[in-house]
């Protein structure tokens, strides 16, 4: 069994793959290393043989997690690393090591699945856009606050904005002008994300006309899917790239 981990700024997304390409046996999202270990130990019949991960966390945090996995499960861990070029995709950053690993792997996955020019839109803690030409050249990208950051900043810096996650979910049942604070905030932030998407689509068309694919990924991708009817929603896009960066034979 193979354990795959996507260690983001706020959460760890995990999944366990069965032997002989048996598919995903279990998966989940946790908020800490301890919760990850607890979730894995609760799986009946778990027998990990290998592990690969991508992390955008500090080196010290990542090393601590790797040590815990090796100690508890006796498994070796392969960590994805930056590269100037891989699988036909050429990193467009002036300092390629500075490009976030999650973005890099999502690009690898999208280019493999699309086999053409593509726009990769990822909606997590931050919202990101990356442009990959048909020849694999990464043209660069954009980063802006995602829903969690926008929501957090408004809650932190505006004293009267206080509401829970249930109220936030209910507020997004429609996008008419809000008649309560939670509606105004949640709908306003969603419309900002959608505006970001429409701008990226316009730029992609200026490069490639209609000859490009759009990939949507990340926890909040569903909030913008309506304005990208041609988009391909791939929740595990980073894992597609992770398998390419860390092949386990």
């Amino acid at each position: 069994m193979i354990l795959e981990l996507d260690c983001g700024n706020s959460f760890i997304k995990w999944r366990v793959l069965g032997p002989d390409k048996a598919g995903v046996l279990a998966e989940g999202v946790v908020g800490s290393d301890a919760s990850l270990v607890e979730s894995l130990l609760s799986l009946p019949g778990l027998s990990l043989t290998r592990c690969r991960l991508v992390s955008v966390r500090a080196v010290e945090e990542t090393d601590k997690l790797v040590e815990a996995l090796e100690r508890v499960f006796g498994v070796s861990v392969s960590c994805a690393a930056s590269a100037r070029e891989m699988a036909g995709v050429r990193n467009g950053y002036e300092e390629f090591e500075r490009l976030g690993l999650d973005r890099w792997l999502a690009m690898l996955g999208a280019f493999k699945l699309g086999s053409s020019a593509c726009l990769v839109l990822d909606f997590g803690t931050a919202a990101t856009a990356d442009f990959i030409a048909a020849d694999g050249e990464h043209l660069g990208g954009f980063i802006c606050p995602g829903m969690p950051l926008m929501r957090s900043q408004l809650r932190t810096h505006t004293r009267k904005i206080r509401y829970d996650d249930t109220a936030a979910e209910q507020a997004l049942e429609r996008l008419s002008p809000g008649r309560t604070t939670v509606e105004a905030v949640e709908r306003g932030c969603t419309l900002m994300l959608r505006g970001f998407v429409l701008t990226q689509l316009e730029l992609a068309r200026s490069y490639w006309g209609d000859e490009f694919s759009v990939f949507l990924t990340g926890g909040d991708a569903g909030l913008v899917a309506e304005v990208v009817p041609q988009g391909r929603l791939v929740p595990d896009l980073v894992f597609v790239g992770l398998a390419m960066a860390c092949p386990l034979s």
Side-chain angles (χ1 to χ4, degrees), residues 20-212:
D20 301 322
K21 299 182 180 179
V24 178
L25 300 181
E27 59 187 338
V29 178
V30 294
S32 68
D33 296 0
S35 295
L36 171 65
V37 171
E38 182 180 352
S39 296
L40 293 172
L41 288 174
S42 70
L43 296 176
L46 181 70
S47 179
L48 296 178
T49 56
R50 291 162 291 180
C51 173
R52 55 190 170 205
L53 69 78
V54 54
S55 175
V56 297
R57 299 179 169 193
V59 174
E60 294 78 10
E61 290 181 275
T62 303
D63 288 346
K64 183 179 178 181
L65 173 58
V66 169
E67 290 170 5
L69 293 171
E70 292 176 341
R71 182 180 69 255
V72 176
F73 300 102
V75 64
S76 61
V77 181
S78 298
C79 298
S82 299
R84 172 61 70 188
E85 183 172 353
M86 182 178 292
V89 180
R90 295 183 297 283
N91 194 317
Y93 261 32
E94 293 178 0
E95 298 177 68
F96 73 88
E97 303 92 341
R98 304 284 291 180
L99 177 68
L101 276 173
D102 51 347
R103 289 172 62 194
W104 174 239
L105 296 186
M107 287 193 294
L108 294 181
F111 193 70
K112 176 184 179 180
L113 296 176
S115 301
S116 66
C118 52
L119 168 62
V120 183
L121 300 168
D122 192 340
F123 300 93
T125 302
T128 64
D130 283 289
F131 298 77
I132 304 97
D135 65 356
E137 185 70 28
H138 174 220
L139 306 182
F142 298 96
I143 305 173
C144 72
M147 280 294 285
L149 280 179
M150 288 192 284
R151 184 185 293 128
S152 174
Q153 287 300 300
L154 285 169
R155 284 176 171 176
T156 301
H157 296 287
T158 308
R159 291 186 179 182
K160 292 186 177 181
I161 294 181
R162 297 289 184 272
Y163 55 84
D164 59 25
D165 292 339
T166 299
E169 184 176 344
Q170 293 172 345
L172 290 175
E173 292 177 354
R174 60 183 62 86
L175 289 178
S176 56
R179 297 172 65 87
T180 64
T181 298
V182 60
E183 290 177 352
V185 170
E186 292 296 313
R187 295 174 187 179
C189 290
T190 298
L191 290 175
M192 287 191 71
L193 278 188
R194 292 187 173 193
F196 173 76
V197 169
L198 293 174
T199 301
Q200 308 313 306
L201 290 172
E202 182 180 348
L203 182 55
R205 291 190 189 100
S206 74
Y207 288 145
W208 307 308
D210 292 324
E211 300 300 317
F212 66 96

